[in-house]
Amino acid sequence: MRCIFCRIVAGEADGDILFQDEKMTAFRDMRPQAPTHVLIVPNSHVSSLAELLDTDSSLLVRMFSQAHHLAEAMGVADKGYRLIINNGPDAGQVVDHLHLHLLGGKRMPPNRMSLRWKDEMA
Ligand code: DGP
Protein backbone atom coordinates (compact mmCIF):
# COMPACT_ATOMS: atom_id res chain seq x y z
CA MET A 1 0.00 0.00 0.00
CA ARG A 2 1.41 3.39 -1.02
CA CYS A 3 1.82 6.12 1.60
CA ILE A 4 -1.08 8.52 2.13
CA PHE A 5 0.77 11.53 0.69
CA CYS A 6 1.75 9.55 -2.44
CA ARG A 7 -1.94 8.69 -2.85
CA ILE A 8 -3.04 12.34 -2.44
CA VAL A 9 -0.40 13.41 -5.00
CA ALA A 10 -1.68 10.78 -7.44
CA GLY A 11 -5.32 11.81 -6.89
CA GLU A 12 -6.11 8.39 -5.39
CA ALA A 13 -7.03 9.82 -1.96
CA ASP A 14 -8.95 12.96 -1.04
CA GLY A 15 -6.82 16.02 -0.53
CA ASP A 16 -7.68 19.66 -0.88
CA ILE A 17 -4.94 20.36 -3.42
CA LEU A 18 -3.99 24.03 -3.72
CA PHE A 19 -1.02 23.70 -6.07
CA GLN A 20 0.62 20.99 -8.13
CA ASP A 21 3.39 20.91 -10.69
CA GLU A 22 5.63 18.13 -11.98
CA LYS A 23 7.76 18.15 -8.82
CA MET A 24 5.59 19.06 -5.83
CA THR A 25 2.06 19.22 -4.49
CA ALA A 26 0.53 21.48 -1.82
CA PHE A 27 -2.66 20.56 0.01
CA ARG A 28 -4.47 21.52 3.21
CA ASP A 29 -3.53 19.64 6.38
CA MET A 30 -6.46 17.54 7.60
CA ARG A 31 -5.70 18.51 11.24
CA PRO A 32 -4.98 22.23 10.94
CA GLN A 33 -2.96 23.85 13.72
CA ALA A 34 -3.66 27.35 12.39
CA PRO A 35 -6.29 29.01 10.16
CA THR A 36 -3.89 28.45 7.25
CA HIS A 37 -2.15 25.08 7.40
CA VAL A 38 -0.79 23.70 4.15
CA LEU A 39 1.57 20.80 3.49
CA ILE A 40 4.01 21.00 0.59
CA VAL A 41 5.41 17.64 -0.48
CA PRO A 42 7.66 16.26 -3.22
CA ASN A 43 5.59 14.27 -5.72
CA SER A 44 7.93 11.31 -5.51
CA HIS A 45 8.21 9.43 -2.25
CA VAL A 46 11.08 10.90 -0.27
CA SER A 47 11.18 9.97 3.43
CA SER A 48 13.64 12.41 4.85
CA LEU A 49 15.49 15.65 4.31
CA ALA A 50 18.74 13.69 3.85
CA GLU A 51 17.13 11.69 1.04
CA LEU A 52 15.94 14.84 -0.73
CA LEU A 53 19.34 16.47 -0.39
CA ASP A 54 20.89 13.35 -1.93
CA THR A 55 18.43 13.07 -4.80
CA ASP A 56 17.09 16.54 -5.70
CA SER A 57 18.39 19.26 -3.39
CA SER A 58 17.13 22.06 -5.68
CA LEU A 59 13.57 20.94 -4.97
CA LEU A 60 13.99 22.04 -1.36
CA VAL A 61 14.49 25.64 -2.47
CA ARG A 62 11.50 25.36 -4.80
CA MET A 63 9.32 24.03 -1.97
CA PHE A 64 10.22 26.98 0.27
CA SER A 65 9.70 29.38 -2.60
CA GLN A 66 6.29 27.86 -3.36
CA ALA A 67 5.38 28.10 0.34
CA HIS A 68 5.99 31.83 0.17
CA HIS A 69 3.86 32.18 -2.98
CA LEU A 70 1.05 30.24 -1.31
CA ALA A 71 1.33 32.41 1.81
CA GLU A 72 0.96 35.48 -0.40
CA ALA A 73 -1.98 34.00 -2.31
CA MET A 74 -3.70 33.02 0.95
CA GLY A 75 -3.19 36.48 2.45
CA VAL A 76 -0.90 35.52 5.32
CA ALA A 77 2.49 36.61 3.97
CA ASP A 78 2.39 40.20 5.23
CA LYS A 79 1.72 39.34 8.86
CA GLY A 80 4.08 36.37 8.84
CA TYR A 81 3.97 32.62 8.66
CA ARG A 82 5.87 29.66 10.00
CA LEU A 83 7.54 26.92 7.94
CA ILE A 84 8.33 23.63 9.69
CA ILE A 85 9.84 20.30 8.65
CA ASN A 86 9.54 17.57 11.27
CA ASN A 87 12.42 15.35 10.21
CA GLY A 88 12.58 11.96 11.93
CA PRO A 89 11.11 10.42 15.07
CA ASP A 90 12.62 12.82 17.64
CA ALA A 91 11.02 15.69 15.72
CA GLY A 92 7.63 13.98 15.77
CA GLN A 93 7.44 13.14 12.06
CA VAL A 94 4.31 11.04 11.72
CA VAL A 95 3.94 10.67 7.95
CA ASP A 96 7.02 9.10 6.39
CA HIS A 97 6.94 11.32 3.29
CA LEU A 98 8.89 14.55 3.61
CA HIS A 99 6.57 17.55 3.99
CA LEU A 100 6.93 21.24 4.67
CA HIS A 101 4.24 22.71 6.96
CA LEU A 102 3.09 26.25 6.16
CA LEU A 103 1.25 27.77 9.13
CA GLY A 104 -0.28 31.20 9.23
CA GLY A 105 -3.30 33.33 9.98
CA LYS A 106 -2.77 33.61 13.72
CA ARG A 107 -0.19 35.01 16.12
CA MET A 108 2.08 32.13 17.13
CA PRO A 109 4.27 32.17 20.24
CA PRO A 110 8.02 32.52 19.82
CA ASN A 111 9.73 29.23 20.51
CA ARG A 112 11.21 28.73 23.99
CA MET A 113 14.83 28.74 22.76
CA SER A 114 14.38 32.20 21.26
CA LEU A 115 12.84 33.47 24.51
CA ARG A 116 15.77 32.09 26.55
CA TRP A 117 18.25 33.66 24.12
CA LYS A 118 16.42 37.00 24.36
CA ASP A 119 16.62 36.85 28.17
CA GLU A 120 20.34 36.08 28.04
CA MET A 121 20.97 39.02 25.69
CA ALA A 122 19.03 41.48 27.89
P1 DGP B 1 4.14 15.44 10.84
O1 DGP B 1 3.96 15.33 12.32
O2 DGP B 1 5.10 16.54 10.47
O3 DGP B 1 4.47 14.12 10.19
O4 DGP B 1 2.70 15.90 10.30
C1 DGP B 1 1.86 15.14 9.49
C2 DGP B 1 0.67 15.99 9.17
O5 DGP B 1 -0.06 15.34 8.13
C3 DGP B 1 -0.31 16.21 10.31
O6 DGP B 1 -0.39 17.62 10.58
C4 DGP B 1 -1.64 15.69 9.80
C5 DGP B 1 -1.43 15.57 8.32
N1 DGP B 1 -2.11 14.44 7.71
C6 DGP B 1 -1.99 13.13 8.07
N2 DGP B 1 -2.75 12.35 7.27
C7 DGP B 1 -3.33 13.19 6.36
C8 DGP B 1 -4.24 12.98 5.28
O7 DGP B 1 -4.66 11.87 4.97
N3 DGP B 1 -4.64 14.10 4.59
C9 DGP B 1 -4.19 15.35 4.92
N4 DGP B 1 -4.64 16.36 4.18
N5 DGP B 1 -3.34 15.59 5.95
C10 DGP B 1 -2.92 14.52 6.66
Side-chain angles (χ1 to χ4, degrees):
M1 174 99 139
R2 289 210 287 165
C3 97
I4 182 61
F5 289 177
C6 283
R7 292 172 57 227
I8 290 173
V9 166
E12 296 164 6
D14 280 348
D16 189 356
I17 292 180
L18 302 170
F19 173 85
Q20 188 164 48
D21 68 9
E22 76 287 359
K23 289 277 189 181
M24 73 184 116
T25 300
F27 52 89
R28 286 186 203 276
D29 193 295
M30 73 180 327
R31 284 191 280 277
Q33 307 291 317
T36 297
H37 189 169
V38 178
L39 301 173
I40 298 133
V41 309
N43 289 347
S44 38
H45 187 86
V46 175
S47 297
S48 67
L49 195 52
E51 200 179 322
L52 186 63
L53 292 173
D54 280 349
T55 55
D56 191 357
S57 56
S58 63
L59 180 52
L60 194 60
V61 176
R62 290 182 58 190
M63 286 167 63
F64 275 84
S65 168
Q66 189 55 47
H68 177 69
H69 292 315
L70 282 163
E72 283 186 315
M74 298 173 93
V76 300
D78 284 350
K79 283 193 157 182
Y81 55 85
R82 186 169 282 181
L83 299 176
I84 300 172
I85 294 177
N86 295 320
N87 189 63
D90 276 6
Q93 181 177 1
V94 172
V95 179
D96 181 35
H97 181 137
L98 181 72
H99 47 283
L100 176 62
H101 294 258
L102 160 62
L103 295 148
K106 73 170 187 183
R107 180 59 70 102
M108 287 170 266
N111 73 49
R112 285 215 232 131
M113 291 244 295
S114 312
L115 284 175
R116 200 178 316 146
W117 175 79
K118 216 169 146 190
D119 284 349
E120 282 165 13
M121 296 303 282

PDB file of all heavy atoms in Angstrom, residues 4-5 8 14-16 27-31 33 37 39 85-86 91-96 99 101, ligand 1:
ATOM      1  N   ILE A   4       0.093   7.658   2.312  1.00  0.00           N
ATOM      2  CA  ILE A   4      -1.077   8.518   2.126  1.00  0.00           C
ATOM      3  C   ILE A   4      -0.739   9.755   1.279  1.00  0.00           C
ATOM      4  O   ILE A   4      -1.541  10.177   0.445  1.00  0.00           O
ATOM      5  CB  ILE A   4      -1.734   8.893   3.488  1.00  0.00           C
ATOM      6  CG1 ILE A   4      -2.977   9.755   3.275  1.00  0.00           C
ATOM      7  CG2 ILE A   4      -0.766   9.565   4.420  1.00  0.00           C
ATOM      8  CD1 ILE A   4      -4.079   9.104   2.490  1.00  0.00           C
ATOM      9  N   PHE A   5       0.446  10.327   1.467  1.00  0.00           N
ATOM     10  CA  PHE A   5       0.771  11.527   0.687  1.00  0.00           C
ATOM     11  C   PHE A   5       1.006  11.169  -0.784  1.00  0.00           C
ATOM     12  O   PHE A   5       0.642  11.944  -1.667  1.00  0.00           O
ATOM     13  CB  PHE A   5       1.960  12.277   1.295  1.00  0.00           C
ATOM     14  CG  PHE A   5       1.641  12.981   2.604  1.00  0.00           C
ATOM     15  CD1 PHE A   5       2.636  13.644   3.310  1.00  0.00           C
ATOM     16  CD2 PHE A   5       0.359  12.986   3.117  1.00  0.00           C
ATOM     17  CE1 PHE A   5       2.342  14.294   4.514  1.00  0.00           C
ATOM     18  CE2 PHE A   5       0.053  13.621   4.323  1.00  0.00           C
ATOM     19  CZ  PHE A   5       1.060  14.275   5.023  1.00  0.00           C
ATOM     20  N   ILE A   8      -2.442  11.002  -2.216  1.00  0.00           N
ATOM     21  CA  ILE A   8      -3.038  12.339  -2.443  1.00  0.00           C
ATOM     22  C   ILE A   8      -2.425  12.953  -3.699  1.00  0.00           C
ATOM     23  O   ILE A   8      -3.139  13.475  -4.563  1.00  0.00           O
ATOM     24  CB  ILE A   8      -2.834  13.244  -1.209  1.00  0.00           C
ATOM     25  CG1 ILE A   8      -3.698  12.746  -0.042  1.00  0.00           C
ATOM     26  CG2 ILE A   8      -3.172  14.704  -1.546  1.00  0.00           C
ATOM     27  CD1 ILE A   8      -3.462  13.451   1.286  1.00  0.00           C
ATOM     28  N   ASP A  14      -8.471  11.573  -1.126  1.00  0.00           N
ATOM     29  CA  ASP A  14      -8.952  12.958  -1.042  1.00  0.00           C
ATOM     30  C   ASP A  14      -7.881  13.856  -0.455  1.00  0.00           C
ATOM     31  O   ASP A  14      -7.233  13.507   0.528  1.00  0.00           O
ATOM     32  CB  ASP A  14     -10.178  13.030  -0.119  1.00  0.00           C
ATOM     33  CG  ASP A  14     -11.421  12.587  -0.858  1.00  0.00           C
ATOM     34  OD1 ASP A  14     -11.357  12.466  -2.096  1.00  0.00           O
ATOM     35  OD2 ASP A  14     -12.448  12.361  -0.188  1.00  0.00           O
ATOM     36  N   GLY A  15      -7.740  15.013  -1.054  1.00  0.00           N
ATOM     37  CA  GLY A  15      -6.820  16.019  -0.529  1.00  0.00           C
ATOM     38  C   GLY A  15      -7.234  17.330  -1.163  1.00  0.00           C
ATOM     39  O   GLY A  15      -7.536  17.369  -2.352  1.00  0.00           O
ATOM     40  N   ASP A  16      -7.268  18.342  -0.359  1.00  0.00           N
ATOM     41  CA  ASP A  16      -7.677  19.658  -0.876  1.00  0.00           C
ATOM     42  C   ASP A  16      -6.432  20.297  -1.504  1.00  0.00           C
ATOM     43  O   ASP A  16      -5.714  21.053  -0.862  1.00  0.00           O
ATOM     44  CB  ASP A  16      -8.233  20.473   0.296  1.00  0.00           C
ATOM     45  CG  ASP A  16      -8.880  21.766  -0.169  1.00  0.00           C
ATOM     46  OD1 ASP A  16      -8.827  22.051  -1.380  1.00  0.00           O
ATOM     47  OD2 ASP A  16      -9.425  22.470   0.690  1.00  0.00           O
ATOM     48  N   PHE A  27      -1.255  20.823  -0.351  1.00  0.00           N
ATOM     49  CA  PHE A  27      -2.661  20.558   0.005  1.00  0.00           C
ATOM     50  C   PHE A  27      -2.880  20.922   1.470  1.00  0.00           C
ATOM     51  O   PHE A  27      -1.922  21.028   2.249  1.00  0.00           O
ATOM     52  CB  PHE A  27      -3.039  19.089  -0.275  1.00  0.00           C
ATOM     53  CG  PHE A  27      -2.108  18.073   0.330  1.00  0.00           C
ATOM     54  CD1 PHE A  27      -2.313  17.574   1.608  1.00  0.00           C
ATOM     55  CD2 PHE A  27      -0.997  17.626  -0.378  1.00  0.00           C
ATOM     56  CE1 PHE A  27      -1.454  16.639   2.171  1.00  0.00           C
ATOM     57  CE2 PHE A  27      -0.115  16.692   0.169  1.00  0.00           C
ATOM     58  CZ  PHE A  27      -0.353  16.202   1.447  1.00  0.00           C
ATOM     59  N   ARG A  28      -4.161  21.128   1.827  1.00  0.00           N
ATOM     60  CA  ARG A  28      -4.467  21.516   3.207  1.00  0.00           C
ATOM     61  C   ARG A  28      -4.248  20.342   4.150  1.00  0.00           C
ATOM     62  O   ARG A  28      -4.607  19.201   3.837  1.00  0.00           O
ATOM     63  CB  ARG A  28      -5.924  21.977   3.313  1.00  0.00           C
ATOM     64  CG  ARG A  28      -6.156  23.340   2.717  1.00  0.00           C
ATOM     65  CD  ARG A  28      -7.581  23.787   2.979  1.00  0.00           C
ATOM     66  NE  ARG A  28      -7.979  24.768   2.005  1.00  0.00           N
ATOM     67  CZ  ARG A  28      -7.713  26.069   2.088  1.00  0.00           C
ATOM     68  NH1 ARG A  28      -7.059  26.538   3.142  1.00  0.00           N
ATOM     69  NH2 ARG A  28      -8.103  26.893   1.146  1.00  0.00           N
ATOM     70  N   ASP A  29      -3.696  20.649   5.326  1.00  0.00           N
ATOM     71  CA  ASP A  29      -3.529  19.640   6.377  1.00  0.00           C
ATOM     72  C   ASP A  29      -4.903  19.268   6.925  1.00  0.00           C
ATOM     73  O   ASP A  29      -5.744  20.142   7.156  1.00  0.00           O
ATOM     74  CB  ASP A  29      -2.635  20.217   7.493  1.00  0.00           C
ATOM     75  CG  ASP A  29      -2.154  19.144   8.456  1.00  0.00           C
ATOM     76  OD1 ASP A  29      -3.002  18.547   9.153  1.00  0.00           O
ATOM     77  OD2 ASP A  29      -0.933  18.909   8.521  1.00  0.00           O
ATOM     78  N   MET A  30      -5.138  17.980   7.119  1.00  0.00           N
ATOM     79  CA  MET A  30      -6.459  17.541   7.600  1.00  0.00           C
ATOM     80  C   MET A  30      -6.665  17.854   9.089  1.00  0.00           C
ATOM     81  O   MET A  30      -7.792  17.809   9.573  1.00  0.00           O
ATOM     82  CB  MET A  30      -6.668  16.040   7.356  1.00  0.00           C
ATOM     83  CG  MET A  30      -5.860  15.184   8.270  1.00  0.00           C
ATOM     84  SD  MET A  30      -5.984  13.367   8.122  1.00  0.00           S
ATOM     85  CE  MET A  30      -7.619  13.057   7.648  1.00  0.00           C
ATOM     86  N   ARG A  31      -5.580  18.132   9.819  1.00  0.00           N
ATOM     87  CA  ARG A  31      -5.699  18.513  11.239  1.00  0.00           C
ATOM     88  C   ARG A  31      -5.019  19.859  11.435  1.00  0.00           C
ATOM     89  O   ARG A  31      -3.920  19.947  12.010  1.00  0.00           O
ATOM     90  CB  ARG A  31      -5.048  17.440  12.134  1.00  0.00           C
ATOM     91  CG  ARG A  31      -5.907  16.191  12.284  1.00  0.00           C
ATOM     92  CD  ARG A  31      -5.375  15.271  13.360  1.00  0.00           C
ATOM     93  NE  ARG A  31      -4.264  14.473  12.889  1.00  0.00           N
ATOM     94  CZ  ARG A  31      -4.399  13.342  12.197  1.00  0.00           C
ATOM     95  NH1 ARG A  31      -5.600  12.866  11.932  1.00  0.00           N
ATOM     96  NH2 ARG A  31      -3.342  12.678  11.784  1.00  0.00           N
ATOM     97  N   GLN A  33      -3.427  23.254  12.457  1.00  0.00           N
ATOM     98  CA  GLN A  33      -2.959  23.850  13.719  1.00  0.00           C
ATOM     99  C   GLN A  33      -3.063  25.374  13.675  1.00  0.00           C
ATOM    100  O   GLN A  33      -2.691  26.033  14.643  1.00  0.00           O
ATOM    101  CB  GLN A  33      -1.494  23.477  13.963  1.00  0.00           C
ATOM    102  CG  GLN A  33      -1.195  21.993  13.897  1.00  0.00           C
ATOM    103  CD  GLN A  33      -1.817  21.234  15.051  1.00  0.00           C
ATOM    104  OE1 GLN A  33      -1.763  21.696  16.185  1.00  0.00           O
ATOM    105  NE2 GLN A  33      -2.433  20.110  14.764  1.00  0.00           N
ATOM    106  N   HIS A  37      -3.108  26.168   7.144  1.00  0.00           N
ATOM    107  CA  HIS A  37      -2.148  25.078   7.403  1.00  0.00           C
ATOM    108  C   HIS A  37      -2.083  24.218   6.144  1.00  0.00           C
ATOM    109  O   HIS A  37      -3.006  23.468   5.826  1.00  0.00           O
ATOM    110  CB  HIS A  37      -2.574  24.246   8.613  1.00  0.00           C
ATOM    111  CG  HIS A  37      -1.521  23.254   9.061  1.00  0.00           C
ATOM    112  ND1 HIS A  37      -1.594  22.570  10.251  1.00  0.00           N
ATOM    113  CD2 HIS A  37      -0.363  22.838   8.468  1.00  0.00           C
ATOM    114  CE1 HIS A  37      -0.534  21.781  10.378  1.00  0.00           C
ATOM    115  NE2 HIS A  37       0.216  21.915   9.296  1.00  0.00           N
ATOM    116  N   LEU A  39       0.403  21.688   3.578  1.00  0.00           N
ATOM    117  CA  LEU A  39       1.567  20.804   3.490  1.00  0.00           C
ATOM    118  C   LEU A  39       2.087  20.835   2.055  1.00  0.00           C
ATOM    119  O   LEU A  39       1.290  20.725   1.109  1.00  0.00           O
ATOM    120  CB  LEU A  39       1.174  19.368   3.856  1.00  0.00           C
ATOM    121  CG  LEU A  39       0.595  19.172   5.258  1.00  0.00           C
ATOM    122  CD1 LEU A  39       0.080  17.731   5.425  1.00  0.00           C
ATOM    123  CD2 LEU A  39       1.622  19.483   6.337  1.00  0.00           C
ATOM    124  N   ILE A  85       9.665  21.688   9.098  1.00  0.00           N
ATOM    125  CA  ILE A  85       9.839  20.302   8.649  1.00  0.00           C
ATOM    126  C   ILE A  85      10.149  19.471   9.887  1.00  0.00           C
ATOM    127  O   ILE A  85      11.140  19.728  10.577  1.00  0.00           O
ATOM    128  CB  ILE A  85      10.983  20.164   7.623  1.00  0.00           C
ATOM    129  CG1 ILE A  85      10.626  20.895   6.322  1.00  0.00           C
ATOM    130  CG2 ILE A  85      11.270  18.687   7.348  1.00  0.00           C
ATOM    131  CD1 ILE A  85      11.731  20.869   5.266  1.00  0.00           C
ATOM    132  N   ASN A  86       9.260  18.535  10.204  1.00  0.00           N
ATOM    133  CA  ASN A  86       9.542  17.573  11.270  1.00  0.00           C
ATOM    134  C   ASN A  86      10.288  16.416  10.614  1.00  0.00           C
ATOM    135  O   ASN A  86       9.696  15.670   9.822  1.00  0.00           O
ATOM    136  CB  ASN A  86       8.240  17.096  11.912  1.00  0.00           C
ATOM    137  CG  ASN A  86       7.512  18.230  12.614  1.00  0.00           C
ATOM    138  OD1 ASN A  86       8.145  19.066  13.261  1.00  0.00           O
ATOM    139  ND2 ASN A  86       6.201  18.284  12.484  1.00  0.00           N
ATOM    140  N   ALA A  91      11.712  14.449  16.084  1.00  0.00           N
ATOM    141  CA  ALA A  91      11.017  15.695  15.717  1.00  0.00           C
ATOM    142  C   ALA A  91       9.502  15.490  15.640  1.00  0.00           C
ATOM    143  O   ALA A  91       8.764  16.445  15.403  1.00  0.00           O
ATOM    144  CB  ALA A  91      11.540  16.206  14.385  1.00  0.00           C
ATOM    145  N   GLY A  92       9.068  14.252  15.817  1.00  0.00           N
ATOM    146  CA  GLY A  92       7.629  13.981  15.769  1.00  0.00           C
ATOM    147  C   GLY A  92       7.089  13.785  14.371  1.00  0.00           C
ATOM    148  O   GLY A  92       5.888  13.966  14.142  1.00  0.00           O
ATOM    149  N   GLN A  93       7.945  13.399  13.417  1.00  0.00           N
ATOM    150  CA  GLN A  93       7.443  13.141  12.060  1.00  0.00           C
ATOM    151  C   GLN A  93       6.538  11.919  12.098  1.00  0.00           C
ATOM    152  O   GLN A  93       6.949  10.842  12.520  1.00  0.00           O
ATOM    153  CB  GLN A  93       8.609  12.902  11.085  1.00  0.00           C
ATOM    154  CG  GLN A  93       8.127  12.663   9.654  1.00  0.00           C
ATOM    155  CD  GLN A  93       9.279  12.495   8.658  1.00  0.00           C
ATOM    156  OE1 GLN A  93      10.452  12.539   9.041  1.00  0.00           O
ATOM    157  NE2 GLN A  93       8.948  12.318   7.404  1.00  0.00           N
ATOM    158  N   VAL A  94       5.297  12.125  11.676  1.00  0.00           N
ATOM    159  CA  VAL A  94       4.313  11.042  11.718  1.00  0.00           C
ATOM    160  C   VAL A  94       4.174  10.395  10.349  1.00  0.00           C
ATOM    161  O   VAL A  94       4.142   9.174  10.230  1.00  0.00           O
ATOM    162  CB  VAL A  94       2.944  11.573  12.216  1.00  0.00           C
ATOM    163  CG1 VAL A  94       1.871  10.513  12.070  1.00  0.00           C
ATOM    164  CG2 VAL A  94       3.039  12.064  13.652  1.00  0.00           C
ATOM    165  N   VAL A  95       4.082  11.217   9.307  1.00  0.00           N
ATOM    166  CA  VAL A  95       3.941  10.669   7.954  1.00  0.00           C
ATOM    167  C   VAL A  95       5.329  10.591   7.317  1.00  0.00           C
ATOM    168  O   VAL A  95       6.049  11.595   7.229  1.00  0.00           O
ATOM    169  CB  VAL A  95       2.994  11.538   7.098  1.00  0.00           C
ATOM    170  CG1 VAL A  95       2.875  10.955   5.694  1.00  0.00           C
ATOM    171  CG2 VAL A  95       1.619  11.641   7.751  1.00  0.00           C
ATOM    172  N   ASP A  96       5.662   9.388   6.881  1.00  0.00           N
ATOM    173  CA  ASP A  96       7.021   9.104   6.388  1.00  0.00           C
ATOM    174  C   ASP A  96       7.194   9.538   4.924  1.00  0.00           C
ATOM    175  O   ASP A  96       7.651   8.750   4.096  1.00  0.00           O
ATOM    176  CB  ASP A  96       7.262   7.591   6.559  1.00  0.00           C
ATOM    177  CG  ASP A  96       8.645   7.178   6.104  1.00  0.00           C
ATOM    178  OD1 ASP A  96       9.587   7.959   6.292  1.00  0.00           O
ATOM    179  OD2 ASP A  96       8.773   6.079   5.526  1.00  0.00           O
ATOM    180  N   HIS A  99       7.565  16.496   4.230  1.00  0.00           N
ATOM    181  CA  HIS A  99       6.566  17.547   3.993  1.00  0.00           C
ATOM    182  C   HIS A  99       6.960  18.806   4.738  1.00  0.00           C
ATOM    183  O   HIS A  99       7.491  18.758   5.848  1.00  0.00           O
ATOM    184  CB  HIS A  99       5.157  17.088   4.401  1.00  0.00           C
ATOM    185  CG  HIS A  99       5.088  16.430   5.740  1.00  0.00           C
ATOM    186  ND1 HIS A  99       5.499  15.130   5.963  1.00  0.00           N
ATOM    187  CD2 HIS A  99       4.658  16.898   6.939  1.00  0.00           C
ATOM    188  CE1 HIS A  99       5.330  14.819   7.237  1.00  0.00           C
ATOM    189  NE2 HIS A  99       4.821  15.883   7.855  1.00  0.00           N
ATOM    190  N   HIS A 101       5.466  22.095   6.437  1.00  0.00           N
ATOM    191  CA  HIS A 101       4.244  22.705   6.957  1.00  0.00           C
ATOM    192  C   HIS A 101       4.319  24.214   6.741  1.00  0.00           C
ATOM    193  O   HIS A 101       5.328  24.847   7.091  1.00  0.00           O
ATOM    194  CB  HIS A 101       4.111  22.485   8.470  1.00  0.00           C
ATOM    195  CG  HIS A 101       3.907  21.071   8.919  1.00  0.00           C
ATOM    196  ND1 HIS A 101       2.684  20.572   9.292  1.00  0.00           N
ATOM    197  CD2 HIS A 101       4.784  20.053   9.084  1.00  0.00           C
ATOM    198  CE1 HIS A 101       2.805  19.304   9.669  1.00  0.00           C
ATOM    199  NE2 HIS A 101       4.083  18.968   9.560  1.00  0.00           N
TER     200      HIS A 101
HETATM  201  P1  DGP B   1       4.135  15.442  10.844  1.00  0.00           P
HETATM  202  O1  DGP B   1       3.961  15.335  12.325  1.00  0.00           O
HETATM  203  O2  DGP B   1       5.104  16.544  10.468  1.00  0.00           O
HETATM  204  O3  DGP B   1       4.472  14.121  10.189  1.00  0.00           O
HETATM  205  O4  DGP B   1       2.698  15.901  10.299  1.00  0.00           O
HETATM  206  C1  DGP B   1       1.862  15.141   9.493  1.00  0.00           C
HETATM  207  C2  DGP B   1       0.672  15.990   9.169  1.00  0.00           C
HETATM  208  O5  DGP B   1      -0.056  15.337   8.130  1.00  0.00           O
HETATM  209  C3  DGP B   1      -0.312  16.213  10.314  1.00  0.00           C
HETATM  210  O6  DGP B   1      -0.393  17.617  10.584  1.00  0.00           O
HETATM  211  C4  DGP B   1      -1.643  15.695   9.804  1.00  0.00           C
HETATM  212  C5  DGP B   1      -1.428  15.570   8.321  1.00  0.00           C
HETATM  213  N1  DGP B   1      -2.107  14.440   7.712  1.00  0.00           N
HETATM  214  C6  DGP B   1      -1.994  13.135   8.066  1.00  0.00           C
HETATM  215  N2  DGP B   1      -2.747  12.352   7.270  1.00  0.00           N
HETATM  216  C7  DGP B   1      -3.327  13.190   6.365  1.00  0.00           C
HETATM  217  C8  DGP B   1      -4.235  12.977   5.283  1.00  0.00           C
HETATM  218  O7  DGP B   1      -4.655  11.871   4.971  1.00  0.00           O
HETATM  219  N3  DGP B   1      -4.636  14.096   4.593  1.00  0.00           N
HETATM  220  C9  DGP B   1      -4.187  15.355   4.918  1.00  0.00           C
HETATM  221  N4  DGP B   1      -4.644  16.357   4.181  1.00  0.00           N
HETATM  222  N5  DGP B   1      -3.340  15.587   5.945  1.00  0.00           N
HETATM  223  C10 DGP B   1      -2.924  14.517   6.662  1.00  0.00           C
END
